[in-house]
Amino acid sequence: MSTQFLIPIALFGCITYVVKLLIDARLRILMMRAGSSDELIRSILDGEALQRRYASLRSGITLLALAAGFALIQLFGWNDITPGAIAVIAAAVGVGNLAYYALTNRR
């Protein structure tokens, strides 16, 4: 894949993320100006922090499972893209998401 296709996609992703950050910051400022209670603001910020932690956990587990899937493909010596190789990758992502679900439901 050429970089001429990758750069606009990455730029779009970065711009989208910055817009999301600006909207979130604006929402926080409006809540503070509106005179919301300190407990409400604190609970919202704590909830956002917990969501960020869970997002990091989910990404880490899924990427770890994906790496294990690629390691299995390498171990089996598959050099071509076959339905079996795709199935291993899909299964690895599925196992990663199930592991995330199991870890977060313990709470």
Side-chain angles (χ1 to χ4, degrees), residues 2 7 12 22 30 39 51 61 70 72-73 93 95 97 100:
S2 178
I7 291 174
F12 177 74
L22 290 174
L30 288 175
E39 290 180 22
Q51 284 179 349
I61 290 172
F70 278 118
L72 283 175
I73 290 173
V93 171
V95 167
N97 284 323
Y100 167 77

Side-chain angles (χ1 to χ4, degrees), residues 54 57-58 61 96-107:
Y54 279 156
L57 177 65
R58 182 178 193 162
I61 290 172
N97 284 323
L98 287 174
Y100 167 77
Y101 178 78
L103 283 174
T104 55
N105 271 350
R106 282 187 183 172
R107 293 184 139 218

Side-chain angles (χ1 to χ4, degrees), residues 27-100:
L27 179 65
R28 287 188 198 116
I29 289 171
L30 288 175
M31 283 190 332
M32 286 182 205
R33 283 187 186 165
S36 298
S37 68
D38 290 339
E39 290 180 22
L40 176 65
I41 293 172
R42 183 164 303 159
S43 68
I44 290 172
L45 292 177
D46 289 344
E48 287 177 356
L50 185 63
Q51 284 179 349
R52 282 193 301 272
R53 287 182 56 206
Y54 279 156
S56 297
L57 177 65
R58 182 178 193 162
S59 298
I61 290 172
T62 303
L63 287 173
L64 186 64
L66 190 60
F70 278 118
L72 283 175
I73 290 173
Q74 182 70 29
L75 184 69
F76 291 140
W78 295 337
N79 294 325
D80 297 326
I81 298 175
T82 62
I86 294 171
V88 168
I89 297 300
V93 171
V95 167
N97 284 323
L98 287 174
Y100 167 77

Side-chain angles (χ1 to χ4, degrees), residues 1-20:
M1 185 172 190
S2 178
T3 58
Q4 66 185 5
F5 296 113
L6 187 61
I7 291 174
I9 292 170
L11 181 65
F12 177 74
C14 291
I15 290 172
T16 304
Y17 184 69
V18 167
V19 168
K20 180 195 175 304

